[in-house]
Amino acid sequence: MRAQTIYIPKDAAAVSVGADDVAAAIATEAERRRLSVEIVRTGSRGLLWLEPLVEVSLPEGRVAYGPVSVADVPSLFDTGFLSAANHRLALGFTEEIPYLKNQERLTFARCGVIDPLSVDDYLAHGGMAGVKRARDMTPAEICAEVRESGLRGRGGAGFPTGIKWQTVLDADADQKFICCNADEGDSGTFADRMIMEGDPFALIEGMTIAAFAVGATQGYIYVRSEYPHAIATLREAIAIAERKGWLGDGLHGTDREFHLDVRVGAGAYICGEETSMLESLEGRRGQVRSKPPLPALEGLFGQPTVVNNVLSLTTVPVILAKGADFYRDLGVGRSRGTQPFQLAGNVKRGGLVEKAFGVTLHDLLYEFGGGTATGRPIRAVQTGGPLGAYVPPSLFDTPEDYEAFAAQDALVGHGGIVVFDDSVDMAKQARFALEFCALESCGKCTPCRIGSQRGVEVMDRIIAGDRRNENLALLNDLCELLTDGSLCAMGGLTPLPVQSALKHFPEDFGLARPTEKIAS
Amino acid sequence: MSGRAMWSEERASSLISNHQDQRGALLPMLHALQEEFGCIEDAAIRLLAKTLNLSRAEVHGVVSFYHDFRRTRAGRHVIKICRAEACQAMGAESLIEHAQRHLSTDLGTTTTDDAFTLEAVYCLGNCALSPAIMIDAQLHGRVDAARFNALVGVYGKDQ
Ligand SMILES: Cc1cc2nc3c(=O)[nH]c(=O)nc-3n(C[C@H](O)[C@H](O)[C@H](O)COP(=O)(O)O)c2cc1C
Ligand code: SF4
Ligand code: FES
């Protein structure tokens, strides 16, 4: 008898709510009942509120059950879940679940579908089509393709990836580097982690294309130490890729070489800033370098270096495989293609939603997210990580678009969306933003190092109601100083969460709410 | 994850030599030493300085810059509780208060029986299943007070 395939994620988030235990229980139960099953451990589909999500392979497609606990396993077998049962946890065909069906998955097309470390699965699902095309193109042609796709850096700053690559290509040097920024320190973001665990070959393929495009021979993936699962998966994937001739000397049957290593961070948020990451890779304190020189010209060990986010690099293979036009035709304005948005915090259906740019916050929060987990009204969302603004419901119609968000003094950033219900105290959130800056400042500039600490003290006095107006004026001065006097966005953007909280939620700071600004 | 071995110059040298050929090897070396010995002792700093031809102050500067590296050994298990925004939105602050009460210890300190070191961390990448904690290298999601106690019970048993 042919074994039936059951898919269970081994993604860290799925495991964090019991996926390993569920997989073990299913294996034991199947054995007890003398049923022949094969359990494949995948990445996560990103429907995180349904984790652990168990899928059963049927001739017509995969059917899903979730969230499954160990206690549910006997009843799943009793009701015959291996042939699509009417179980309490049955969700029907996975691909038909609206949360997934209504997405536009390109970067995450394989994540949760395949065994992350299976070469056969990767190839069967379109893997390596991009690099095979790139192999026969000139470096300039690859750069042009990426430029024409409109891909902008998904790590937050939104700088056009193709232009960055062209700069590195044009630089004259003995050695060039590709550095993948996998520091993902922003609260509310987990897309980098998910893709590294769920489809690591895609990142390796993207970095290889980047290497071909600029003539780099060595790459590093700088992963934060908080991601032990991703680190382990990447290391295994690199070893497999080396054995397959996808990395190393003469890779992909060319006469070129590209070597790849994983480096582990050490718990410093600022090491996500690209120059600080390079300092850390060189074995130093992760202090920000002043620009110029750009890393594209003088980066790692002083050599021309591509620094890109995990998602930017993982999106490149599909762009090469399907063509620049295909990608550019998705999106709005100057925000092209898709973005993996991440719904987090107090949200009913938290997870990963890959959509073309232009989707509104409202649709992400309510159609996908289903409102808050607590069932209370949403009061604020923070977009773009800890340095991003707090956005009130009156602005939820804003489309996800770098420029539209900027026009509201907000950030798309890395696509993280953190939801708060009406119990949130926005003065406390403002205080936290300053506290975080003080804690994570690299220490190079005084406004950021000392000013943030003064900011915490000022916020404490405001919260205590101590000479409120005087202290609010002081807070504004400090914010102005941070904005104008900081070398990098750590100090430069910390005023964003603070001032947006003050602007949209003045009553939490003991001020009257202007009557015309009643939230919808 | 947090090593417990006694300091051995020989063992340390062998760990360091595994990374000798890498460029910018200081962080990988520090990670390897801390994984083995549980912290970065003065002897480790002296040895690294000598091996990499750096001053001890330089090595110390790197060790002190990064939150991960510790100068004194942690308890048998390290519990990291996320206190970043997404976890705050689901009650991380009250979970931290509970954890401190339950373990009779403060953030950044170790329980008197040396079983647990409690630390704050800023995002574990589990923000859709918040509040999140990490015990050694294992991530746990949707942690409330009851689940916290149960987890501590399980880890507390092994010595
Ligand atoms: C304080 C700070 C933290 C950052 N953290 C990250 C990060 O975790 N991951 C990331 O890709 N980019 C981060 N960035 C942005 C990087 O500096 C850089 O712009 C990005 O990695 C470039 O890649 P991209 O063009 O593909 O987005 C951060 C920037 C700042 C100022
Ligand atoms: S703004 Fe802060 S983090 Fe950025 S360089 Fe200055 S001190 Fe360092
Ligand atoms: S904010 Fe707590 S895990 Fe991300």
Side-chain angles (χ1 to χ4, degrees):
Chain A
M1 199 179 83
R2 233 183 104 250
Q4 193 167 5
T5 310
I6 301 178
Y7 299 93
I8 305 171
K10 66 172 172 191
D11 168 277
V15 171
S16 85
V17 288
D20 280 351
D21 298 336
V22 168
I26 288 180
T28 310
E29 192 70 22
E31 199 171 294
R32 204 173 64 79
R33 295 174 190 240
R34 300 184 185 287
L35 294 167
S36 169
V37 300
E38 186 202 0
I39 296 177
V40 174
R41 304 299 301 272
T42 60
S44 172
R45 295 268 199 171
L47 282 63
L48 290 168
W49 85 99
L50 292 175
E51 293 291 7
L53 184 84
V54 174
E55 290 179 82
V56 174
S57 173
L58 296 179
E60 312 83 55
R62 293 191 196 178
V63 289
Y65 302 84
V68 177
S69 70
V70 169
D72 298 317
V73 170
S75 74
L76 279 170
F77 278 91
D78 287 342
T79 53
F81 83 124
L82 294 176
S83 51
N86 205 2
H87 192 273
R88 176 174 59 83
L89 300 175
L91 300 159
F93 288 110
T94 318
E95 309 274 352
E96 296 298 319
I97 300 172
Y99 195 92
L100 194 58
K101 192 185 169 81
N102 296 332
Q103 297 192 28
E104 283 136 324
R105 287 213 167 183
L106 294 175
T107 310
F108 277 78
R110 273 181 301 261
C111 193
V113 177
I114 62 166
D115 171 349
L117 293 171
S118 161
V119 163
D120 292 341
D121 271 7
Y122 188 65
L123 294 173
H125 287 81
M128 293 300 167
V131 77
K132 284 196 183 118
R133 188 165 160 244
R135 191 177 54 182
D136 302 326
M137 292 163 76
T138 65
E141 281 167 353
I142 306 174
C143 290
E145 187 88 23
V146 173
R147 205 171 51 237
E148 280 158 24
S149 75
L151 178 67
R152 291 164 75 175
R154 297 295 187 240
F159 187 82
T161 304
I163 293 178
K164 191 185 282 184
W165 289 15
Q166 185 72 48
T167 310
V168 179
L169 171 62
D170 292 341
D172 192 23
D174 293 338
Q175 187 173 24
K176 295 176 185 176
F177 294 102
I178 311 292
C179 289
C180 171
N181 189 340
D183 201 53
E184 194 167 55
D186 288 358
S187 166
T189 64
F190 43 82
D192 294 357
R193 182 188 59 67
M194 269 184 62
I195 202 87
M196 288 188 283
E197 293 185 26
D199 196 9
F201 292 134
L203 177 57
I204 294 174
E205 184 180 353
M207 292 184 74
T208 306
I209 295 170
F212 285 175
V214 305
T217 51
Q218 173 71 47
Y220 292 100
I221 308 174
Y222 185 90
V223 193
R224 64 203 303 254
S225 60
E226 291 85 347
Y227 286 179
H229 293 72
I231 291 164
T233 308
L234 285 172
R235 289 198 163 133
E236 265 190 79
I238 288 172
I240 294 168
E242 283 169 351
R243 286 201 295 277
K244 284 292 297 177
W246 291 349
L247 286 173
D249 295 327
L251 74 169
H252 293 290
T254 65
D255 57 3
R256 288 168 271 191
E257 62 173 303
F258 183 57
H259 305 270
L260 193 51
D261 282 309
V262 172
R263 283 294 175 90
V264 181
Y269 177 79
I270 194 59
C271 289
E273 197 284 333
E274 57 185 0
T275 61
S276 161
M277 182 187 83
L278 295 173
E279 287 290 307
S280 184
L281 272 167
E282 291 182 15
R284 284 199 283 273
R285 298 160 68 93
Q287 283 196 304
V288 174
R289 299 179 186 167
S290 28
K291 290 187 262 193
L294 291 170
L297 298 174
E298 277 178 52
L300 190 64
F301 303 114
Q303 303 300 309
T305 302
V306 169
V307 179
N308 270 139
N309 171 255
V310 176
L311 299 181
S312 319
L313 290 162
T314 316
T315 303
V316 165
V318 69
I319 290 173
L320 267 291
K322 301 202 174 192
D325 291 356
F326 170 83
Y327 196 75
R328 194 189 45 210
D329 286 348
L330 291 159
V332 290
R334 294 201 288 120
S335 305
R336 311 311 314 170
T338 61
Q339 168 71 35
F341 298 103
Q342 298 130 85
L343 295 174
N346 192 340
V347 61
K348 193 168 164 196
R349 296 194 291 262
L352 181 123
V353 179
E354 183 172 353
K355 278 299 270 181
F357 281 102
V359 59
T360 62
L361 262 178
H362 180 276
D363 285 356
L364 287 169
L365 290 167
Y366 294 101
E367 280 186 22
F368 287 93
T372 62
T374 46
R376 301 169 66 109
I378 298 180
R379 181 149 184 251
V381 300
Q382 187 177 28
T383 64
L387 310 176
Y390 283 98
V391 178
S394 57
L395 297 178
F396 284 177
D397 288 333
T398 311
E400 290 281 353
D401 164 343
Y402 291 107
E403 281 69 38
F405 264 55
Q408 302 289 358
D409 291 324
L411 298 181
V412 172
H414 183 267
I417 298 170
V418 178
V419 183
F420 293 84
D421 73 10
D422 60 357
S423 65
V424 67
D425 179 339
M426 296 308 297
K428 278 197 188 148
Q429 296 310 121
R431 181 191 187 280
F432 177 77
L434 290 156
E435 188 186 3
F436 185 70
C437 181
L439 199 66
E440 297 296 338
S441 167
C442 87
K444 198 149 176 165
C445 11
T446 319
C448 174
R449 188 180 68 243
I450 314 271
S452 52
Q453 190 51 49
R454 292 289 94 81
V456 174
E457 293 155 15
V458 173
M459 272 312 307
D460 280 340
R461 292 198 292 271
I462 293 170
I463 289 168
D466 176 10
R467 287 170 300 148
R468 195 165 262 150
N469 288 335
E470 232 172 281
N471 279 307
L472 280 165
L474 195 55
L475 181 69
N476 269 324
D477 277 355
L478 267 170
C479 284
E480 223 169 279
L481 183 70
L482 276 167
T483 308
D484 298 341
S486 298
L487 185 58
C488 87
M490 180 82 220
L493 289 180
T494 292
L496 212 55
V498 178
Q499 290 180 310
S500 58
L502 189 56
K503 176 177 170 193
H504 299 299
F505 308 92
E507 63 275 25
D508 289 16
F509 295 76
L511 296 169
R513 174 175 264 276
T515 40
E516 74 278 6
K517 253 197 340 214
I518 302 227
S520 57
Chain B
M1 198 169 79
S2 51
R4 313 285 300 168
M6 289 297 293
W7 173 257
S8 141
E9 186 102 2
E10 202 183 332
R11 178 78 186 120
S13 299
S14 128
L15 287 169
I16 288 176
S17 68
N18 290 341
H19 301 280
Q20 201 107 50
D21 298 337
Q22 293 176 357
R23 294 178 84 178
L26 183 51
L27 257 66
M29 288 174 176
L30 286 167
H31 275 303
L33 291 172
Q34 179 155 306
E35 217 161 279
E36 180 79 4
F37 303 112
C39 68
I40 307 295
E41 295 167 50
D42 288 340
I45 291 185
R46 264 198 309 275
L47 186 62
L48 284 167
K50 203 173 81 192
T51 318
L52 296 173
N53 204 12
L54 296 168
S55 73
R56 268 185 284 163
E58 280 172 297
V59 179
H60 182 265
V62 172
V63 172
S64 60
F65 182 84
Y66 295 96
H67 297 305
D68 278 3
F69 298 129
R70 48 177 105 248
R71 297 300 313 275
T72 52
R73 222 158 78 155
R76 286 190 296 281
H77 300 287
V78 177
I79 305 181
K80 293 180 172 170
I81 306 189
C82 176
R83 79 182 318 178
E85 289 88 343
C87 287
Q88 287 173 21
M90 289 301 278
E93 287 303 314
S94 58
L95 180 66
I96 289 173
E97 277 167 35
H98 168 83
Q100 297 186 118
R101 250 194 334 267
H102 185 75
L103 297 173
S104 308
T105 196
D106 290 328
L107 282 177
T109 61
T110 302
T111 54
T112 45
D113 62 358
D114 201 35
F116 297 106
T117 297
L118 193 64
E119 288 179 348
V121 66
Y122 295 84
C123 194
L124 294 163
N126 203 20
C127 333
L129 296 171
S130 50
I133 72 172
M134 191 175 261
I135 306 185
D136 302 334
Q138 182 60 59
L139 185 61
H140 302 275
R142 287 213 176 106
V143 180
D144 57 13
R147 195 155 135 73
F148 183 85
N149 296 356
L151 286 166
V152 163
V154 171
Y155 283 89
K157 282 198 196 85
D158 45 291
Q159 286 298 302

